[in-house]
Amino acid sequence: MCGYRVDESKMASDPASVKGDDGPASSQAPPLSPNTPAKPPELPDELVQAGWSKCWSRRENRPYYFNRFTNQSLWEVPVLGQHDVISDPLGLNAAPAEGDANGRKRRMSEEQSSNKRPKVEPSTQTLTSPSTPSTPTAPATTGVPATPATPSTPTPAPYKPAVIYWDLDVQTNAVIKERPPLPLLPPHPEIELQRAQLVTKLRQHYHELCLQREGIDPPRESFNRWLLERKVIDKGLDPLLPSECDPPISPSMFREVMGDIPIRLARIKYKEEARKLLFKYAEAAKKMIDSRNASPESRKVVKWNAEDTMNWLRRDHSASKEDYMERLEHLRLQCGPHVAAVAKDSVEGICSKIYQLSADYSRRLRQTHLGLLQTPPPTPVPGARLVYCYPLRLSVPSPVLPRVELHFENDVACLRFKGEMVKVNRGHFSKLELLYRYSCVDDPRFEKFLSRVWCLLKRYQMMFGSGTHEGTGLQGALPVSVFEVLHRQFGVSFECFASPLNSYFKQFCSAFSDTDGFFGSRGPFLSFTPASGSFEANPPFCEELMDAMVSHFEELLSSSSEPLSFVVFVPDWRDPETPALTRMESSRFLREQLHVPPFEHEYRSGSQHTCKREDMSYRAVHGTAVLFLQNDAGFAKWPPTPDGVAELGSAFKPPKTNSSTSTSGPAPPGPDSTPKYLDKTPEASFIPLSLSHNHLL
């Protein structure tokens, strides 16, 4: 039964109508009235799965039916699909109005038709998750006949999502070796709140170090990409903060900071902007070489080129935008190596300092977390049997979790813990409820559901940052039409890089085992070793992660004789080519390849769980390469036929009239973390480093 309930201050007054254990009495429990002669019949399994349970009204001395997901109360036996908006959001399985197939539909009682309860708006509904199960209480029986009344719980307005972006009915075909529960520390709102505060503090340190040492703001999204790149090689125990990495200096962070020295080069559209940028670069390079410990030769080269550029700017006022851009590229080639040489030690110090602070924060968090647990983490025992993949389990029992408050503001669910609020739209909140019901085994009464949802949302918020549009490109997803073709044509039933918020299937790999396992995650893909199955892989566009992904593909395909297939989606970067794309194109497991041109396909936004419907999708400004990597058995079972590949390419194309497609979404990155500054097209002469736009580890 659901462990969160409507706040008593919001309930209608009916003290004689009682529900035990923070809600209705279970359909398997005896009625509360001592005069009941027999145990009421149990509900069908499909109604129990939809959230319905049978309760007993002391005042009426008869049963009624309560839905723990929607807080609905009925005198009659509910009809599957007609009342349970959670299990059937679109009403596709609704029974006929006159009755159901089993003949359980009965006419509404006269008492209910004459005593209708007021409707409660979702925006004023307040729900809480109790920290401990409550004890059922009931007023004493006086023997005086009671007046007819309806159950006390108000009925919220049913919520039906306008569009569904997932299909949780698809069963998995992925087979793995049986895994024991992981010895990870279970999520806790207190720890997650401290982690969020420490990550925010670390971001501030990074900003201050870049500003103080190099006089620049940190490259946009570089901290988020640093978290991604570090977790590829991190062997530490914290799920988010890197603590055991070799080498300690991140190549990704070093490359991006160096790319913005001496100044950040931005997109140029007009002649005057190009002139100002050229002057600023020359001035910044000269100032840096004067203030650092540079060699005489470096000082001579940089000063001469900077002064020559300034004299040219003062002398020539008729130059075109292309002239300024060519001059800037020449200045970068002449001064760039010398400027980078004097800034190298300082930038390495920034990267090292951030990593050391992260490791220190990780140790402090773990000590605090262990203090909240009752038992130490056990040692896992490896399994041996081959089974269909199942969600991760934690071996450490979860302690009693503190209360998290929930209320709805129109179509947004707001969860609050100690003043910290996280938000998710109601459609995705309903999805999380379903995933939790399918995957969680230690909380059948949903008493820890809200606390775990709060931890999940807070974790991803910290992963991507809280700035406007920040991180939205790091967890984008393929369109629904593409997933439908992948499942229908190639048997795909599993996502290698996803999250509970943006997954299409209910089986997926994601970045965080501790928070995501309760919602269906199979853990990080790089530690996931399937023996067979058909998979979709749409990784974050981080070069280090994509390269590690390809190595994992090669190892899995080489070691399995069972059918194994991966349909991989990566950016089609050719100038220069990325190592991951080059390795896959030359792989012996490559069976087919498809190129989707830029601006002719779209992705779903990474902030789909919070954004408006019109901002749900955006056009891709780069090409996408789709590669089929299969072993022999996988190729025989799921062959990439010409018709199937053509249908996949058509599914990628956005509708001609699509109001939800945006061309101003997060721009994807170039193939190298160093900005691709010079573009030969007149519209955009400089292209800055921008976001990658995909899933998680």
Side-chain angles (χ1 to χ4, degrees), residues 524-537:
F525 176 69
L526 297 182
S527 59
F528 181 69
T529 55
S532 69
S534 183
F535 303 85
E536 175 266 351

Side-chain angles (χ1 to χ4, degrees), residues 59 103 181 229 283 290 565 615 637:
R59 173 171 293 177
E229 182 264 336
E283 186 180 41
D290 285 337
S565 171
D615 299 326
K637 188 170 184 178

Side-chain angles (χ1 to χ4, degrees), residues 43-330:
L43 287 173
D45 290 340
E46 59 269 18
L47 290 179
V48 175
Q49 291 296 320
W52 291 99
S53 56
K54 194 170 185 178
C55 312
W56 191 260
S57 172
R58 286 179 59 92
R59 173 171 293 177
E60 290 296 301
N61 198 27
R62 64 168 175 164
Y64 69 95
Y65 303 91
F66 177 78
N67 191 300
R68 67 176 184 266
F69 298 129
T70 64
N71 288 328
Q72 286 179 284
S73 299
L74 299 174
W75 287 118
E76 64 172 0
V77 177
V79 179
L80 183 66
Q82 187 167 335
H83 305 289
D84 51 326
V85 297
I86 296 296
S87 63
D88 189 17
L90 299 180
L92 301 178
N93 300 318
E98 296 299 326
D100 63 358
N102 299 326
R104 292 192 300 266
K105 180 71 176 176
R106 299 196 297 271
R107 190 174 10 178
M108 188 74 74
S109 64
E110 296 180 1
E111 291 84 357
Q112 186 175 8
S113 61
S114 61
N115 296 280
K116 293 184 178 180
R117 287 163 284 140
K119 182 178 179 182
V120 178
E121 295 298 331
S123 59
T124 62
Q125 183 185 2
T126 302
L127 290 81
T128 60
S129 63
S131 58
T132 56
S134 61
T135 304
T137 59
T141 304
T142 61
V144 180
T147 57
T150 56
S152 62
T153 306
T155 303
Y159 176 75
K160 294 184 178 181
V163 183
I164 301 298
Y165 298 99
W166 50 83
D167 185 354
L168 305 184
D169 294 330
V170 176
Q171 301 301 317
T172 183
N173 56 22
V175 176
I176 62 172
K177 285 187 177 181
E178 188 177 11
R179 297 183 294 180
L182 298 179
L184 300 177
L185 304 186
H188 195 286
E190 291 281 1
I191 299 301
E192 209 58 45
L193 182 59
Q194 293 183 35
R195 181 178 287 112
Q197 293 169 349
L198 292 175
V199 171
T200 301
K201 188 176 180 180
L202 194 62
R203 289 179 183 271
Q204 293 173 350
H205 277 299
Y206 179 47
H207 186 275
E208 292 170 359
L209 287 172
C210 289
L211 198 60
Q212 293 172 1
R213 297 193 179 187
E214 303 301 332
I216 61 171
D217 289 329
R220 186 169 181 243
E221 298 281 353
S222 63
F223 186 87
N224 299 335
R225 284 188 291 272
W226 174 76
L227 289 175
L228 277 176
E229 182 264 336
R230 292 282 86 185
K231 296 309 290 185
V232 174
I233 61 174
D234 183 38
K235 298 180 180 179
L237 299 176
D238 191 88
L240 183 59
L241 291 169
S243 58
E244 293 185 22
C245 300
D246 186 22
I249 297 176
S250 165
S252 173
M253 179 179 284
F254 176 83
R255 194 166 54 231
E256 292 188 35
V257 175
M258 290 293 289
D260 279 3
I261 293 176
I263 63 170
R264 174 179 300 174
L265 301 180
R267 189 182 301 271
I268 298 300
K269 292 184 178 180
Y270 305 108
K271 169 183 172 180
E272 288 303 318
E273 291 178 350
R275 178 184 175 87
K276 290 179 181 179
L277 190 64
L278 177 59
F279 179 81
K280 288 181 179 179
Y281 189 94
E283 186 180 41
K286 184 174 181 295
K287 182 179 179 181
M288 174 173 283
I289 210 71
D290 285 337
S291 60
R292 304 291 178 94
N293 187 19
S295 65
E297 181 64 23
S298 295
R299 291 180 186 276
K300 179 180 177 181
V301 171
V302 172
K303 283 187 175 183
W304 187 88
N305 281 278
E307 291 174 356
D308 181 64
T309 299
M310 291 180 181
N311 292 332
W312 179 79
L313 287 171
R314 298 187 190 101
R315 184 174 60 251
D316 193 347
H317 297 282
S318 61
S320 64
K321 171 190 168 183
E322 288 71 23
D323 294 334
Y324 290 128
M325 302 312 297
E326 290 180 4
R327 188 81 184 195
L328 178 57
E329 181 63 14
H330 172 75

